[in-house]
Amino acid sequence: MLEPIFEADFDEAAYGYRPKRGALDAVRAVHLAIDEGHTEVVDADLSKYFDTIPHSALLRCVARRISDGKMLHLIKMWLKAPVEETDERGHRRMSGGKKATRGTPQGGVASPLLANIYMHRFIKAFRKYGLDGRYGAVLVTYADDFVVLCRHDAVEVLDTIRRWMASIGLALNEDKTRVCHARRESFDFLGYTFGPLYSPRTGGRYNGAQPSRKAVASIRKHIRRRLWRGNQAPWDDVARDLNRSVRGWCAYFSYGSVTTARHHVEQHLYHTVRRFLRRRHKIAGPGYRQFPIRDVFGKMGVRSPGRCAQLAPPILHATALLLDSTNLVQRRGLAGRGHGFDGDHQSVSSMSRGFRGIPRISATFFGG
């Protein structure tokens, strides 16, 4: 009920938690901006955004569009709801409650919308003061992740953003915020690394986008967890679970230069499966002869990451296994058909022609 009211106001720079927009749309927008010469990049990170949104200022933003007093009271009560959370060490703690003055309950159904409403204050200031015109700046946001791609003077833009964030009760994580030049340095956004890449065929340099090291490390870790020593499930169930996770990863990382990353994931998947089966069947030796790669990715039913793009179903289910999701709402869905692009060095301009059906993500999928 609330979403359509605020959706009419939201800016095209915002991609997170919105209908008919997704993370890969944001990735594509960043790549296109670099291709068009917006190469001075403010790679920003907000410090504990969901935990620090001020309630009073947020409710004023909501009240500009919602006049029903009962609805406003309901939202206020919802913001005050106590939430039990588990930290990285497995310890439980309570947050929120009647005395809370900041933060939105993580995992709550309304948190994504409220986060977008408050971030819209920053986007409106960006438009009002004309940073796009003065600095040739392109803003791309996804929940609390954002980058600003400028033609010049990105340091001045960062100083301005720092002041704006302080004025609305937020703060940049200075350890993770920086200015870089995309033609010389790389930066990560939404699980992708943007920066200069070199064609393995010609040796020429191009502005590339590829899965980040953290994203590759995350799926590798997830594969190891699925194939832990104590897993006694029937092999068909193990293979089905692996395929679902790997397909979900490949469906999201289907844009840009993906061949190398998928090769690394495939090699890790094969060797982890081989070691798992060797232990399960008590095979002496490494198990290469008993479980060759053609059998693992053939009759044993494990799907090769290199073929996932062609075989991805219309609707995929995947947990947010890609990235560090600290302070982000857990994601549960990938809807859409994988694009299947696996070239090495096309420009984003040529890729954008016919780029359809990219998978969309129902909530935050990234940070890092």
Side-chain angles (χ1 to χ4, degrees):
M1 183 175 69
L2 293 176
E3 183 182 68
I5 297 173
F6 290 97
E7 179 63 29
D9 294 334
F10 288 155
D11 192 275
E12 63 180 9
Y15 290 87
Y17 311 124
R18 298 185 61 189
K20 299 183 179 180
R21 311 199 103 195
L24 284 183
D25 296 312
V27 168
R28 182 184 174 197
V30 170
H31 197 187
L32 179 61
I34 294 172
D35 233 27
E36 292 179 344
H38 303 267
T39 54
E40 290 193 21
V41 181
V42 177
D43 179 15
D45 183 85
L46 282 173
S47 180
K48 299 181 179 180
Y49 175 62
F50 287 92
D51 293 334
T52 57
I53 298 175
H55 289 179
S56 57
L58 173 60
L59 288 170
R60 286 196 298 271
C61 293
V62 174
R64 291 190 181 100
R65 295 288 279 159
I66 303 295
S67 58
D68 188 296
K70 292 182 179 179
M71 178 61 71
L72 292 172
H73 179 71
L74 181 62
I75 294 173
K76 181 178 180 179
M77 294 298 292
W78 182 82
L79 287 172
K80 301 290 186 180
V83 177
E84 183 182 87
E85 299 175 327
T86 303
D87 61 22
E88 295 177 354
R89 298 182 178 181
H91 300 150
R92 294 181 178 180
R93 64 183 181 90
M94 297 298 294
S95 64
K98 293 182 179 180
K99 295 183 179 180
T101 60
R102 289 177 174 268
T104 60
Q106 297 221 20
V109 293
S111 284
L113 176 61
L114 295 178
N116 272 351
I117 291 170
Y118 203 67
M119 181 62 76
H120 188 61
R121 293 188 68 184
F122 162 60
I123 299 175
K124 284 199 302 183
F126 185 93
R127 300 298 184 207
K128 179 179 178 180
Y129 291 98
L131 298 194
D132 43 1
R134 290 162 57 192
Y135 300 97
V138 175
L139 174 64
V140 180
T141 75
Y142 194 100
D144 60 338
D145 285 340
F146 70 93
V147 292
V148 184
L149 303 107
C150 309
R151 291 191 181 276
H152 55 84
D153 296 322
V155 174
E156 292 183 18
V157 173
L158 175 57
D159 290 339
T160 301
I161 291 173
R162 188 180 286 112
R163 292 195 302 272
W164 286 350
M165 289 301 179
S167 71
I168 61 175
L170 302 175
L172 296 176
N173 185 333
E174 297 295 345
D175 292 335
K176 296 182 179 180
T177 298
R178 66 189 181 113
V179 171
C180 65
H181 197 290
R183 294 194 188 278
R184 298 192 297 266
E185 306 170 77
S186 62
F187 67 95
D188 291 353
F189 183 62
L190 301 184
Y192 279 80
T193 295
F194 300 88
L197 295 178
Y198 295 86
S199 168
R201 291 193 291 270
T202 67
R205 189 171 71 169
Y206 63 99
N207 302 321
Q210 63 181 348
S212 68
R213 291 183 179 180
K214 184 181 287 188
V216 174
S218 184
I219 184 61
R220 287 164 59 103
K221 182 178 180 180
H222 195 76
I223 290 168
R224 291 193 298 272
R225 285 179 175 175
R226 287 285 186 262
L227 297 173
W228 63 293
R229 288 176 178 270
N231 188 345
Q232 300 297 323
W235 173 248
D236 287 346
D237 293 345
V238 174
R240 190 181 305 113
D241 195 26
L242 275 175
N243 290 341
R244 183 166 56 246
S245 298
V246 173
R247 276 200 305 250
W249 189 90
C250 291
Y252 179 65
F253 292 105
S254 58
Y255 179 85
S257 303
V258 300
T259 304
T260 300
R262 286 190 177 181
H263 173 73
H264 291 324
V265 172
E266 182 178 276
Q267 290 296 306
H268 179 78
L269 178 60
Y270 166 65
H271 291 298
T272 308
V273 167
R274 174 184 55 78
R275 289 191 292 267
F276 175 83
L277 293 173
R278 184 197 66 189
R279 290 193 302 267
R280 171 171 283 195
H281 295 283
K282 297 180 173 59
I283 301 294
Y288 287 103
R289 181 174 58 85
Q290 295 86 350
F291 308 109
I293 191 168
R294 66 177 181 274
D295 287 352
V296 169
F297 292 128
K299 62 185 181 182
M300 301 196 70
V302 179
R303 201 63 82 184
S304 166
R307 298 183 61 206
C308 282
Q310 290 80 15
L311 299 172
I315 297 178
L316 300 175
H317 172 80
T319 52
L321 52 93
L322 309 181
L323 309 161
D324 177 12
S325 58
T326 305
N327 297 322
L328 300 181
V329 181
Q330 187 176 18
R331 282 79 57 194
R332 287 280 183 189
L334 271 172
R337 189 181 298 271
H339 176 59
F341 173 76
D342 60 357
D344 282 318
H345 62 283
Q346 278 185 285
S347 71
V348 68
S349 302
S350 62
M351 280 188 269
S352 63
R353 295 190 293 272
F355 193 90
R356 298 292 184 268
I358 56 178
R360 297 183 184 280
I361 300 177
S362 61
T364 324
F365 210 177
F366 358 77

